[in-house]
Amino acid sequence: AVMGTIAADRLGTGDLKVIAIDPYELGSGISHGKSHDVRVYDNVLQLLSDEENPTPLVRLQHVTKHLKHAKVYAKLEWYNPFGSIKDRVAANLINHSEQAGQLVPGTQMVEATSGNTGLGLVMVANAKGYPLTVPISTRVPAEKRNALKFMGGKLIELDDEL
């Protein structure tokens, strides 16, 4: 049973979408058959998987029950901050550049991107205080451009008609 205040609404499919949970009202945690504590993060970078916080695996028992000598697992990459394995790629690119002394405070980053790596880069760069300029085609969907802007990227929109 969940103890505390949860603000939620119904999606068109009848599914319940949680909008906000007040972790301070949850007491000792949320229970779903096993005891699980609520994790509260101070920084989006803490959501990235590492040795202490690995990407969850789920054993696929029902769809693979015909396999007698194998156990099959699904890796739940949507647990990354933007739901993509590219979040870890972006964090590693920036971390390795910092360790090599190639990326220091005040460095202006530039990356021509429109994919998930770009979303990961803008998230990590913003969280670490690096400005990121993104040259991007005007043909990239507005949703992707808006996400890059929202996360702190400075977009330079390029007309592909040239």
Side-chain angles (χ1 to χ4, degrees):
V2 175
M3 300 177 299
T5 303
I6 298 177
D9 67 350
R10 292 267 174 204
L11 300 173
T13 61
D15 294 335
L16 190 64
K17 177 179 100 174
V18 174
I19 297 172
I21 299 175
D22 184 349
Y24 299 104
E25 293 186 22
L26 290 176
S28 63
I30 299 173
S31 176
H32 295 282
K34 293 184 179 179
S35 178
H36 295 286
D37 290 331
V38 174
R39 294 180 182 177
V40 178
Y41 299 95
D42 295 321
N43 185 311
V44 70
L45 298 178
Q46 293 173 325
L47 292 169
L48 292 166
S49 60
D50 58 21
E51 297 82 24
E52 295 176 17
N53 183 33
T55 304
L57 299 174
V58 172
R59 184 169 174 210
L60 303 178
Q61 297 181 59
H62 299 289
V63 297
T64 61
K65 60 185 170 190
H66 64 283
L67 301 174
K68 301 291 183 215
H69 303 288
K71 293 180 181 176
V72 179
Y73 296 87
K75 193 170 184 184
L76 307 182
E77 292 294 348
W78 62 78
Y79 273 77
N80 287 302
F82 275 122
S84 171
I85 192 170
K86 301 296 181 93
D87 296 344
R88 286 198 308 271
V89 171
N92 285 329
L93 284 169
I94 290 177
N95 290 339
H96 287 264
S97 296
E98 287 174 328
Q99 291 168 3
Q102 298 167 330
L103 189 58
V104 296
T107 302
Q108 170 67 51
M109 296 175 58
V110 178
E111 174 66 24
T113 184
S114 62
N116 288 337
T117 302
L119 286 173
L121 281 170
V122 75
M123 172 196 59
V124 176
N126 188 25
K128 289 188 167 222
Y130 297 113
L132 177 64
T133 299
V134 181
I136 194 166
S137 168
T138 55
R139 292 185 181 180
V140 171
E143 296 83 15
K144 185 74 77 161
R145 293 193 316 258
N146 288 337
L148 289 165
K149 286 181 202 175
F150 178 76
M151 288 305 299
K154 177 185 173 194
L155 273 57
I156 299 175
E157 297 185 3
L158 305 172
D159 185 3
D160 288 341
E161 300 299 322
L162 300 176

